[in-house]
Amino acid sequence: MRCKEIEKLLPDFVSNKLSRTETQAVREHMKTCARCREEQESLRNIFLLLDNVKNLESASAKPVNVLAGVRTRINAGRKIRTPWVSLPRLVPYATVSAAILILGFFLLRTPQPDGKEYQIFTEQEERMLLQEIDTDSFTFEELLALSQTSFEEITSNSLLDLPDDAFITASEALTPINENDALTYALATTDPEDVLESLPSEVSEKILENFEKQSPL
Amino acid sequence: MYMAYRENMTERTDEELIARCKNGDRHAFDTLVTRYQERIYWIIKRMVRNHDDAIDLTQDVFVKAYQKITSFREDSGVYTWLYRIGINMSLNHLRKRKLRQLLSFDDLSMEVPSDDQTPSQIHEKEEMRRLISNAIERLPEKQKIVFLLRYYEELPYEDISTILGTSVGGLKANYFHAAKKIEAFVRNAL
Ligand SMILES: [Zn+2]
């Protein structure tokens, strides 16, 4: 077997979880492969540490009992909320909405020239956005993708999806530079990635910097 | 009489219990909860790193299982089904938490999911536990889930494959890379 195949077996090898033939194959390979031998050595150490911590944890773990809680919830007819949009719409919608929401939040904190505050989403819409999504309508990969939606993705999408007036306000809020420039650039292109790229670097940097400040990630 | 009936239940196989649940037997369902609550709690706890949330979500998992029990197809074990619900709910929970954080709805101190802290007794063991917990937290989500299911839950790859819908070969690679990243993180921290 090649190293690539062997290394996949190494964690289970150091935990003694391989079959006899697999164990034999790993041993044979390591006789002649220093790299896998080293890999095995460092994995053995980390699993030793992991095992220690795991044993410690299970020794101090308190018993879990949710039976009463489950009964109460079932009896109360508590429903897990149903999906609020179908899947094909949901993924882009969730991403884009999150983006707009974030920008909306941004704008909220920026008093307008007339002293009013700008709000894109109503409170109800915000609540809906944060509402539980029925996880049954997702495959694992889709859920994973949703939970990992990157901040860059959100911010670059958001610029294009804003209505014009909101975009102007956003540019005003985010940059001291002439908002018309920013808007022209944004409208001249359809690829969200390009929007950020084609903005004057001070603008895009400022935008990203501001967003980063907002983002705890 | 009642006790004898209960005791009897605990010896039933999952399949028998499921069949009874589908006929509306609440005791059979209770037995399933008792049988799997610890495992479901721990996988969720390791994902969301917060006891109260984990208890809450564990309850949600079983409520959902109860509601959907008639649509459960017995081509896979009931616990793989429960794990899947638990993982999906955890991912969903993390996603919402992230959204809230992005929007700064949550207090700043909540941003980094705080693992249970015991400030009075921070000794070496506790340090180690936290170090490992942080190392796992930093894994890419999929590697993290594979690592939790394989290392902590000690599930066979076939079951993990059923839960996540990924090939066994891919899972082994995920597990190896997760272990390597944990190793590197710990080595750099020490
Ligand atoms: Zn090798």
Side-chain angles (χ1 to χ4, degrees):
Chain A
M1 276 197 263
R2 298 211 314 268
C3 295
K4 261 262 175 297
E5 292 305 307
I6 292 293
E7 66 185 21
K8 286 200 287 192
L9 301 177
L10 288 178
D12 289 326
F13 176 78
V14 300
S15 311
N16 295 320
K17 289 213 167 106
L18 291 184
S19 69
R20 194 176 294 179
T21 41
E22 284 173 322
T23 307
Q24 206 47 48
V26 173
R27 288 217 175 102
E28 276 305 312
H29 178 89
M30 285 197 304
K31 278 181 188 165
T32 56
C33 180
R35 216 196 79 189
C36 285
R37 234 174 11 242
E38 256 169 55
E39 201 81 87
Q40 183 260 161
E41 201 52 51
S42 68
L43 284 176
R44 188 171 294 279
N45 290 333
I46 193 65
F47 273 93
L48 218 62
L49 184 65
L50 280 162
D51 288 348
N52 280 337
V53 172
K54 181 155 84 165
N55 291 337
L56 226 101
E57 267 179 355
S58 49
S60 65
K62 295 183 196 82
V64 171
N65 193 345
V66 297
L67 191 53
V70 172
R71 276 191 192 143
T72 310
R73 288 189 190 190
I74 289 172
N75 290 339
R78 182 194 144 114
K79 284 206 181 95
I80 307 276
R81 272 161 296 204
T82 45
W84 41 278
V85 274
S86 62
L87 179 62
R89 274 186 56 207
L90 184 59
V91 176
Y93 183 67
T95 312
V96 168
S97 305
I100 295 176
L101 235 184
I102 288 158
L103 220 53
F105 171 76
F106 223 119
L107 301 175
L108 271 176
R109 308 179 113 207
T110 314
Q112 299 307 291
D114 55 7
K116 275 188 295 186
E117 284 185 335
Y118 195 105
Q119 186 164 12
I120 292 176
F121 271 38
T122 65
E123 219 176 288
Q124 197 196 357
E125 283 168 326
E126 282 179 358
R127 261 206 305 278
M128 191 172 100
L129 243 172
L130 292 169
Q131 208 175 13
E132 186 139 11
I133 293 167
D134 190 335
T135 48
D136 279 1
S137 47
F138 291 91
T139 66
F140 172 70
E141 299 294 340
E142 283 162 347
L143 263 178
L144 204 56
L146 253 184
S147 71
Q148 287 174 334
T149 307
S150 77
F151 205 69
E152 288 72 23
E153 207 178 317
I154 290 175
T155 51
S156 51
N157 276 338
S158 68
L159 287 174
L160 272 189
D161 282 284
L162 283 176
D164 288 1
D165 59 337
F167 187 90
I168 294 170
T169 319
S171 344
E172 276 173 359
L174 299 173
T175 167
I177 290 183
N178 183 340
E179 83 271 9
N180 280 328
D181 286 349
L183 189 58
T184 313
Y185 278 114
L187 296 179
T189 167
T190 47
D191 186 349
E193 287 292 332
D194 292 345
V195 177
L196 273 182
E197 278 219 307
S198 62
L199 288 171
S201 62
E202 308 101 298
V203 181
S204 57
E205 267 165 34
K206 190 85 187 162
I207 289 175
L208 287 175
E209 193 187 301
N210 275 327
F211 274 117
E212 252 148 44
K213 261 186 240 152
Q214 293 297 315
S215 165
L217 301 178
Chain B
M1 186 65 182
Y2 179 72
M3 284 302 289
Y5 177 67
R6 290 287 298 248
E7 236 158 75
N8 214 7
M9 280 292 191
T10 61
E11 286 160 20
R12 305 247 173 224
T13 64
D14 286 354
E15 289 71 24
E16 287 173 313
L17 289 175
I18 289 289
R20 281 167 177 261
C21 286
K22 286 185 174 177
N23 287 325
D25 185 336
R26 284 287 287 269
H27 289 303
F29 184 75
D30 287 353
T31 309
L32 274 182
V33 175
T34 314
R35 190 172 288 177
Y36 290 115
Q37 57 182 356
E38 293 269 352
R39 293 168 72 172
I40 299 305
Y41 165 82
W42 276 104
I43 185 73
I44 294 175
K45 166 73 160 53
R46 291 189 202 282
M47 283 185 73
V48 305
R49 305 219 298 171
N50 174 298
H51 169 77
D52 291 342
D53 288 350
I55 287 288
D56 200 47
L57 287 164
T58 305
Q59 295 186 2
D60 277 348
V61 168
F62 286 108
V63 172
K64 183 153 209 167
Y66 183 81
Q67 290 167 346
K68 303 258 172 159
I69 200 104
T70 48
S71 61
F72 171 64
R73 281 176 288 116
E74 278 132 273
D75 43 13
S76 64
V78 67
Y79 68 91
T80 57
W81 183 56
L82 293 172
Y83 271 118
R84 187 162 66 227
I85 299 175
I87 289 168
N88 284 355
M89 282 189 166
S90 301
L91 283 172
N92 198 29
H93 175 85
L94 291 172
R95 183 189 138 272
K96 279 193 291 175
R97 185 159 77 189
K98 189 161 146 191
L99 247 181
R100 283 207 190 85
Q101 285 166 354
L102 286 172
L103 298 165
S104 301
F105 284 179
D106 286 349
D107 193 79
L108 223 70
S109 60
M110 293 287 287
E111 279 178 3
V112 178
S114 57
D115 212 337
D116 308 339
Q117 281 166 15
T118 48
S120 58
Q121 38 166 261
I122 297 177
H123 42 60
E124 208 176 315
K125 284 171 182 169
E126 178 55 25
E127 282 290 301
M128 270 306 155
R129 198 190 65 76
R130 206 171 299 173
L131 185 61
I132 297 284
S133 175
N134 288 338
I136 292 170
E137 178 63 19
R138 266 153 223 261
L139 294 174
E141 211 124 71
K142 178 144 191 199
Q143 283 178 23
K144 186 200 298 180
I145 293 164
V146 173
F147 187 83
L148 296 179
L149 291 175
R150 180 65 186 165
Y151 180 70
Y152 289 101
E153 303 304 312
E154 301 188 39
L155 294 187
Y157 287 110
E158 288 69 26
D159 284 351
I160 304 176
S161 168
T162 306
I163 295 170
L164 302 183
T166 314
S167 76
V168 168
L171 292 174
K172 288 181 181 175
N174 284 150
Y175 189 46
F176 169 71
H177 289 297
K180 262 189 79 124
K181 280 187 191 141
I182 293 170
E183 196 274 331
F185 181 84
V186 170
R187 181 160 29 83
N188 288 334
L190 291 180

